[in-house]
Amino acid sequence: METIKAQRMPILDDIAKQLCDMQSLKDVLHCGECEHPMPSREILKEIVSRIKTIVFPGYFGPSQVHFESIGYHITASLDSVYRLLAEQIRRGGCFACAEYAKDKTGCENASKDIAMRFMQTLPEIRRLLALDAQAAYEGDPAAISPGEAIFCYPSMLAMTHHRIAHELYKLRVPIIPRMISEMAHAHTGIDIHPGASIGERFFIDHGTGVVIGETCIIGNNCRIYQGVTLGALSFDKADDGTLVKGIARHPILEDNITVYAGASILGRITIGSNAVIGGNVWLTKSVPAGGKIVQSHGSKANDTEPLKGKTTS
């Protein structure tokens, strides 16, 4: 046994030497200093879990909530979330070399300020999520109550994470919003970039395989089904061949739109209010208000006759 072990060690030493070679490490090593650790997935999970107990008391966290003590529990949770989040924002800023993280003392103060500004959005996050739950109940004949949607539906889990991540994204917090959105993506199969702007009463029925891109704008009272992609049609490149970042490249959905399963809506096009997009449609042209696109003429979104209206470019 000792002989076999002795034979293995030189091989492992050689592998270690190869893996420690700087040429091998240069593209994969994060060499942050000890005072600048990476953001923690586990702490972010804890933050989201505590926010859920604040937004939906009784559904998450303690199984019994008494109205006379709810203020105490919410205040304690708010304090915990604020402190944990400020530290994660600091870590995220250091990881991404954000402007607010360039000075150590200033970074701590800026992180606390950003965390507090996020905390002030929680009443609005609750309002929007309550409307999302109501939309799920009204839009799904299988739902028995908004509470069932809150507790069980993947759409609500995805939207809870998204509403949180989107507020942090608007505050220009690096990496943390994406980490929060990817937690929901891994659990539900619903991939919503934290940059996407989503209005009131949004419902994703079933949900698996949905993709919503960074610069999407979705209005009020919209519903989409599983397998829907709201994506980019193409990517502009700079002279050096790298992708141009930050351009509006995803669709705009106005109010009261339904998009059925498997549809792909691509590029910076506008789907007008009250439009219906059928299943498995590949759509790269704008659709006028009230338009209906089905698979048989999904590629003719700029034809006025089947749509009974004028399209926009």
Side-chain angles (χ1 to χ4, degrees):
M1 183 65 70
E2 291 298 325
T3 302
I4 295 174
K5 183 178 180 180
Q7 291 172 343
R8 289 175 178 168
M9 288 309 298
I11 298 174
L12 295 178
D13 289 342
D14 182 62
I15 294 170
K17 183 178 178 180
Q18 294 179 56
L19 291 173
C20 291
D21 181 80
M22 286 307 300
Q23 188 64 28
S24 173
L25 284 171
K26 65 183 180 68
D27 293 327
V28 297
L29 175 65
H30 175 68
C31 197
E33 299 177 7
C34 59
E35 66 267 25
H36 298 307
M38 292 280 289
S40 167
R41 286 189 176 89
E42 293 306 312
I43 296 299
L44 288 174
K45 289 179 182 177
E46 176 68 15
I47 289 169
V48 173
S49 177
R50 288 179 179 271
I51 290 174
K52 288 168 72 175
T53 68
I54 294 167
V55 173
F56 300 119
Y59 287 97
F60 304 100
S63 58
Q64 290 187 338
V65 175
H66 301 286
F67 189 77
E68 58 269 20
S69 62
I70 194 170
Y72 166 79
H73 290 292
I74 287 180
T75 301
S77 293
L78 287 171
D79 181 70
S80 177
V81 168
Y82 165 69
R83 295 174 185 277
L84 293 172
L85 182 61
E87 171 61 16
Q88 294 307 304
I89 290 173
R90 185 188 72 83
R91 293 186 181 200
C94 293
F95 171 80
C97 299
E99 186 66 30
Y100 69 82
K102 291 184 178 180
D103 172 72
K104 183 176 180 181
T105 302
C107 177
E108 291 182 1
N109 292 332
S111 299
K112 291 176 181 178
D113 178 66
I114 294 168
M116 186 56 71
R117 282 189 281 159
F118 169 80
M119 301 301 289
Q120 292 173 319
T121 71
L122 286 174
E124 176 65 5
I125 288 175
R126 174 189 277 176
R127 187 186 73 84
L128 290 170
L129 287 172
L131 292 173
D132 294 335
Q134 187 65 29
Y137 170 61
E138 294 173 1
D140 184 0
I144 61 173
S145 69
E148 182 187 26
I150 290 169
F151 196 57
C152 302
Y153 276 32
S155 175
M156 285 302 300
L157 189 154
M159 287 307 298
T160 299
H161 281 245
H162 176 72
R163 301 286 189 197
I164 295 168
H166 184 62
E167 293 300 331
L168 291 167
Y169 178 92
K170 290 195 297 182
L171 290 168
R172 306 182 71 85
V173 175
I175 199 171
I176 303 300
R178 191 59 179 260
M179 293 176 72
I180 291 173
S181 68
E182 289 301 330
M183 292 175 195
H185 180 198
H187 192 76
T188 65
I190 298 170
D191 183 1
I192 310 176
H193 192 284
S197 177
I198 301 177
E200 298 178 355
R201 297 176 58 83
F202 183 64
F203 177 43
I204 306 173
D205 204 347
H206 302 293
T208 306
V210 163
V211 177
I212 301 176
E214 178 185 20
T215 61
C216 275
I217 299 174
I218 300 175
N220 298 327
N221 301 304
C222 290
R223 184 197 312 179
I224 65 177
Y225 286 77
Q226 70 272 18
V228 166
T229 297
L230 305 179
L233 181 62
S234 60
F235 303 97
D236 292 339
K237 292 186 177 181
D239 294 338
D240 61 0
T242 59
L243 294 179
V244 178
K245 307 286 186 176
I247 60 173
R249 60 196 182 277
H250 299 102
I252 298 171
L253 274 60
E254 295 183 345
D255 296 341
N256 308 309
I257 290 171
T258 300
V259 183
Y260 284 99
S264 293
I265 304 175
L266 306 176
R268 193 58 164 188
I269 61 176
T270 298
I271 310 302
S273 296
N274 302 298
V276 176
I277 309 302
N280 298 313
V281 165
W282 176 277
L283 192 58
T284 60
K285 301 290 185 180
S286 292
V287 175
K292 293 185 178 181
I293 303 294
V294 296
Q295 199 171 14
S296 61
H297 56 256
S299 62
K300 298 181 181 179
N302 59 340
D303 290 350
T304 59
E305 182 176 347
L307 294 176
K308 301 179 180 180
K310 185 178 179 182
T311 59
T312 56
S313 58

